[in-house]
Amino acid sequence: MGDSNKQHKYRQEIQQMMYVSGESGEPSVETTAMIEEIVRQQVVEMLRNCTELAARRGSRSITINDLIFLIRDDAPKVSRLRTFLSWKDVRKSAKDSDDKNAEGDLGVADDNGGGVMQSGPAVEEAAKKNKKAKVKLPWEPSSYYSQEVPERDDEEDEEEEEMNHITLQRLRKADERTKAMTREEYVTWSEYRQASFTYRKGKRFREWAGFGIVTDSKPSDDIVDILGFLTFEMVQTLTEEALKIKEQEDLWKERSGGENNGTKKRKLAQGLFDPPNEGRTPVESRHIQEAFRRLQTRPKKSRAMLNGTNLQQRTNLRLF
């Protein structure tokens, strides 16, 4: 049991991520351990595939583009990841400019004793540097040309529109989860949104993910941040799918009137003054296992291409 606790290092973080994803109950150790193992398998598979991509380029170091290339078919996720990287670059640029301004102000004094306000071209140049830049990917058609089409401020591409649609759906789900919360519960939910596998846990994450074993390259901070972003998405996807499965199961039990026995009893309707039903139980490991099985199911289009051939279907781990 002690070895199992040492092996599974992210129970608290997974509980917080599950809470943000809609699981208000306290999942068992077995459930969080299964989620952690599934996420770890996904990370190891991503690192292994990135190492193969880097070897094809004749390099031993994996890059950000290698990671994004693995999830290129999931356009909404790629768009959210690009936005994440863009705002990260904005924060870094703003911090660097603030540091430079602070150093410059140390040697400047005003006759009236007040601070010196920057204006004109300097402010405009700083604003351009702090503007959210679009992340370019080498396999996009726009990267094939030496000249780029100038962007308009009021222009939104299809990926941004799709991302906005997905973002609105997630905001709608978050609103449904939080609208009945008390102030204390909402504060807890807001804090749990900051849960991460990587933030201030870089050394632990590198050991957990198998850096140095799966891949020889030393990961950059950007790669670790991307993996932290993706691991949160994995836990959220697993939890939401498991909640759907449990909701279907509970609905079937409610209609059949029985748990696992074959006898079907008629369930009386809930009266106005009847005592409330027992609290909802959290998702179990079997729900997580079924959710993972469904997420591993290949699309019909990819399976149909192999009909009438002697080729075997791929059994590699599918990233989600």
Side-chain angles (χ1 to χ4, degrees):
M1 187 70 179
D3 296 338
S4 178
N5 290 334
K6 291 180 180 179
Q7 182 181 1
H8 300 103
K9 304 178 180 180
Y10 290 102
R11 170 167 167 78
Q12 181 179 359
E13 288 82 0
I14 291 174
Q15 279 183 308
Q16 294 174 352
M17 294 176 187
M18 293 180 69
Y19 183 81
V20 172
S21 304
E23 177 51 87
S24 57
E26 183 176 356
S28 64
V29 177
E30 183 182 3
T31 301
T32 56
M34 179 173 291
I35 293 178
E36 181 173 340
E37 187 59 31
I38 290 173
V39 173
R40 184 176 179 275
Q41 288 177 0
Q42 294 276 307
V43 173
V44 169
E45 182 71 9
M46 293 185 77
L47 292 177
R48 187 181 66 81
N49 292 338
C50 286
T51 304
E52 292 179 357
L53 290 173
R56 293 179 184 178
R57 298 195 318 269
S59 174
R60 296 182 59 184
S61 301
I62 62 178
T63 63
I64 295 175
N65 291 334
D66 294 331
L67 279 173
I68 301 178
F69 184 77
L70 297 179
I71 60 172
R72 65 192 182 280
D73 294 331
D74 191 344
K77 183 179 291 185
V78 171
S79 184
R80 291 195 300 273
L81 181 56
R82 294 170 76 166
T83 303
F84 169 77
L85 293 174
S86 298
W87 284 115
K88 181 184 175 183
D89 185 61
V90 168
R91 288 192 294 268
K92 183 178 179 181
S93 301
K95 183 179 179 182
D96 293 341
S97 62
D98 290 342
D99 292 341
K100 290 181 181 179
N101 291 336
E103 292 176 359
D105 290 343
L106 291 177
V108 178
D110 193 11
D111 295 337
N112 298 327
V116 178
M117 293 292 292
Q118 287 186 341
S119 61
V123 175
E124 294 179 0
E125 184 178 356
K128 289 181 180 179
K129 289 183 179 179
N130 295 338
K131 183 180 178 181
K132 184 168 71 75
K134 187 174 181 180
V135 178
K136 305 293 184 181
L137 299 175
W139 56 85
E140 291 181 332
S142 59
S143 65
Y144 302 159
Y145 304 96
S146 57
Q147 296 182 352
E148 297 183 1
V149 178
E151 297 181 1
R152 299 199 312 265
D153 294 336
D154 58 344
E155 183 180 14
E156 285 191 358
D157 57 12
E158 295 180 358
E159 288 188 357
E160 288 185 353
E161 292 178 358
E162 189 173 6
M163 185 202 66
N164 291 336
H165 175 68
I166 300 297
T167 302
L168 287 175
Q169 288 183 337
R170 291 201 165 189
L171 289 174
R172 191 177 295 110
K173 289 181 181 179
D175 182 63
E176 292 175 355
R177 293 166 186 160
T178 58
K179 63 183 179 181
M181 288 183 177
T182 62
R183 181 177 180 180
E184 291 75 13
E185 290 174 341
Y186 184 76
V187 169
T188 301
W189 186 84
S190 300
E191 292 176 355
Y192 285 178
R193 290 185 69 184
Q194 310 302 320
S196 171
F197 280 73
T198 59
Y199 182 65
R200 295 182 178 177
K201 310 178 188 75
K203 183 179 179 182
R204 188 206 307 182
F205 181 79
R206 287 175 173 86
E207 295 175 354
W208 176 80
F211 283 102
I213 300 176
V214 181
T215 178
D216 294 333
S217 68
K218 186 178 181 181
S220 64
D221 293 338
D222 287 336
I223 289 178
V224 174
D225 289 341
I226 290 175
L227 289 174
F229 172 85
L230 294 176
T231 48
F232 191 104
E233 294 256 335
M234 293 173 192
V235 175
Q236 189 173 26
T237 303
L238 267 175
T239 304
E240 290 175 349
E241 189 67 28
L243 287 172
K244 291 179 184 177
I245 294 170
K246 188 177 184 303
E247 184 179 359
Q248 294 172 357
E249 182 183 90
D250 292 342
L251 183 62
W252 178 84
K253 289 179 180 179
E254 183 180 355
R255 290 178 177 177
S256 62
E259 290 290 332
N260 294 324
N261 52 2
T263 60
K264 293 186 178 180
K265 299 180 181 179
R266 183 181 177 186
K267 186 174 181 179
L268 299 177
Q270 184 76 11
L272 179 61
F273 299 102
D274 290 342
N277 294 329
E278 296 181 0
R280 187 180 65 81
T281 57
V283 294
E284 301 176 9
S285 57
R286 56 191 174 88
H287 301 125
I288 299 296
Q289 190 172 7
E290 174 62 18
F292 178 69
R293 187 194 68 80
R294 294 186 182 184
L295 291 171
Q296 288 298 303
T297 303
R298 297 286 172 182
K300 293 182 179 180
K301 182 178 180 181
S302 63
R303 296 199 305 265
M305 295 295 291
L306 298 177
N307 290 341
T309 67
N310 295 327
L311 299 176
Q312 294 183 352
Q313 295 189 12
R314 293 183 303 169
T315 57
N316 295 339
L317 187 66
R318 186 186 179 199
L319 301 175
F320 60 87

